[in-house]
Amino acid sequence: MHDDVRTQILTVNPSHPEQDAIQKAADVILAGRLVAFPTETVYGLGANALDAEAINRIYIAKQRPATDPIIAHIHNVRWLDQLAVDIPDVAYTLAEHFWPGALTFVLQRAPRVPQNIATGLTTVAVRMPVHPVAHALLQVVQVPIGAPSANTFTRPSATTAAHVLEDLNGRVDVVLDGGATTIGLESTVLDLTKSQPVVLRPGGVTLEALQAVLPDVQLSPRYVTDAESTVSPGQMLKHYAPRAKVTVYTGAESDVIAAMQATARQYDSGKVGVLVPDEDCGAFEALAVVVPLGPRDDLGAMSKRLFAGFRDLDAFGVEVILTRDLGRAGLGAALWDRLLRAAEGRIIEV
Ligand code: TXA
Ligand code: MG
């Protein structure tokens, strides 16, 4: 059940958003309703973070189980005190280096913050986005905005307003269309409530960048064990998944491409999609629907294209998507995580 709404789309200049559009969106947030807006990572589905009823609307619109907590977005570091208590010094040090940006802290939740933003946990996740549209919206509303990625639950995150509408038309009051997001993968989630900081989700700020400031940062055990060996279908929460079944190939590059070609040949070429770096595309001509991710040496470009690529292949109506390991260094760690989850553990080692 959800309230049917007529979704209003407001197109804004991504670097200098028009104030009247921002004001309209702010009024909607302050009325306890939902606004989808661009951040530098992905589009967020926003509501007043201090209004439990508004936050509840997010879970309903996304069809998201009430066990998956939501990130609160803030305008400046001073807002942290509204949301969190017992904030460790390291949060401020990290904020100086990485905020505004693609880094989320998990902190002890302040009593005034509604429980449902954190699904009853005693903590709260907080991020200060850098995108001018998000920044302008926060400046006008003057309340923190709770916002998960603006996709329906389990679908690939939305990196354009068109993706938001694909999933949420009629379920969100306003969409601020500020064009494609620049990073394309979600923020890095860093838990600062334990004796040692732990990355719960790799994302837009790389582990290497965090380590430069915080040498003792740990990766959640989930990421430390060799993922290929521990993940099996069904073991991993389905997430970021296109409708088509995704399989990820890993191993030496030429072997991987040969194995993907062999699999592609088993299908009608219109039913198999391939999502690979630009340099690989030629190998699949006439074998599959091919969507290029970007230059192989440009992890940033490929990150930006990943979710859009999944959605494009769904739009072509393919039944399976073959893609491959793109490395683990830098943004590679976040890319690998999203690939694994989209594949629900269907990893082929060649
Ligand atoms: O880049 C992003 O992080 C985007 C933009 C919109 O800011 N948001 C986003 O939200 O990706 P969502 O809801 O799709 O993912 C939030 C992640 C989830 O993995 C959730 O489990 C984790 O943050 N999270 C939120 N609150 C938490 C908490 N209190 N403790 C631990 N993890 C938390
Ligand atoms: Mg999400």
Side-chain angles (χ1 to χ4, degrees):
M1 281 290 290
H2 71 101
D3 337 326
D4 273 312
V5 294
R6 180 181 298 191
T7 299
Q8 193 182 4
I9 300 150
L10 302 174
T11 303
V12 288
N13 180 315
S15 39
H16 296 96
E18 291 75 3
Q19 206 53 38
D20 56 333
I22 295 295
Q23 185 63 56
K24 265 191 205 164
D27 292 343
V28 169
I29 294 276
L30 292 173
R33 315 277 322 177
L34 304 182
V35 173
F37 61 96
T39 81
E40 65 278 21
T41 57
V42 299
Y43 272 72
L45 175 62
N48 181 349
L50 301 180
D51 177 346
E53 231 177 280
I55 291 296
N56 194 42
R57 285 212 164 88
I58 292 178
Y59 289 101
I60 295 168
K62 264 194 80 127
Q63 299 166 274
R64 177 180 176 122
T67 50
D68 199 359
I70 292 172
I71 297 171
H73 296 72
I74 59 175
H75 180 261
N76 63 63
V77 178
R78 290 187 303 280
W79 289 21
L80 263 185
D81 293 330
Q82 296 184 49
L83 296 169
V85 291
D86 301 332
I87 301 168
D89 291 342
V90 67
Y92 294 99
T93 308
L94 289 165
E96 254 173 55
H97 280 88
F98 299 106
W99 277 4
L103 180 63
T104 296
F105 302 147
V106 174
L107 298 165
Q108 291 302 336
R109 183 162 49 86
R112 69 179 294 208
V113 180
Q115 288 210 15
N116 65 347
I117 198 168
T119 60
L121 299 171
T122 57
T123 54
V124 63
V126 187
R127 176 163 100 83
M128 182 170 141
V130 71
H131 195 292
V133 174
H135 190 77
L137 182 61
L138 285 161
Q139 170 147 25
V140 174
V141 292
Q142 288 291 311
V143 291
I145 296 181
S149 50
N151 49 283
T152 40
F153 183 62
T154 80
R155 295 272 299 147
S157 296
T159 57
T160 66
H163 298 163
V164 176
L165 291 169
E166 227 172 76
D167 287 12
L168 296 170
N169 197 9
R171 293 174 165 268
V172 53
D173 298 83
V174 166
V175 179
L176 285 171
D177 182 352
T181 63
T182 49
I183 297 177
L185 299 177
E186 303 83 348
S187 63
T188 302
V189 178
L190 180 66
D191 187 349
L192 296 178
T193 66
K194 304 281 155 41
S195 54
Q196 274 192 319
V198 182
V199 171
L200 301 179
R201 176 180 74 181
V205 167
T206 65
L207 188 65
E208 292 87 339
L210 280 178
Q211 277 165 339
V213 180
L214 201 64
D216 66 339
V217 67
Q218 305 284 307
L219 258 183
S220 161
R222 218 190 110 195
Y223 298 104
V224 176
T225 25
D226 193 29
E228 297 88 305
S229 59
T230 57
V231 171
S232 59
Q235 200 182 331
M236 220 174 209
L237 181 68
K238 179 179 154 99
H239 219 117
Y240 313 113
R243 280 180 278 271
K245 271 192 185 319
V246 177
T247 303
V248 186
Y249 289 75
T250 177
E253 196 167 298
S254 53
D255 298 343
V256 158
I257 290 178
M260 290 170 73
Q261 286 172 320
T263 306
R265 281 195 194 95
Q266 297 166 13
Y267 291 87
D268 180 308
S269 63
K271 294 293 174 206
V272 56
V274 168
L275 186 61
V276 285
D278 295 353
E279 291 83 348
D280 297 358
C281 289
F284 299 97
E285 228 170 282
L287 274 183
V289 179
V290 185
V291 168
L293 271 173
R296 183 170 43 214
D297 294 335
D298 190 342
L299 287 171
M302 293 194 291
S303 298
K304 189 174 168 173
R305 285 280 307 142
L306 181 74
F307 289 136
F310 282 147
R311 283 178 183 263
D312 289 349
L313 284 167
D314 268 346
F316 281 116
V318 302
E319 286 167 6
V320 296
I321 295 174
L322 311 180
T323 183
R324 73 168 176 93
D325 194 346
L326 301 164
R328 312 295 153 81
L331 282 173
L335 271 167
W336 178 245
D337 171 61
R338 305 312 186 265
L339 289 175
L340 281 185
R341 295 207 202 198
E344 299 174 77
R346 281 181 297 271
I347 312 300
I348 295 192
E349 265 192 270
V350 287

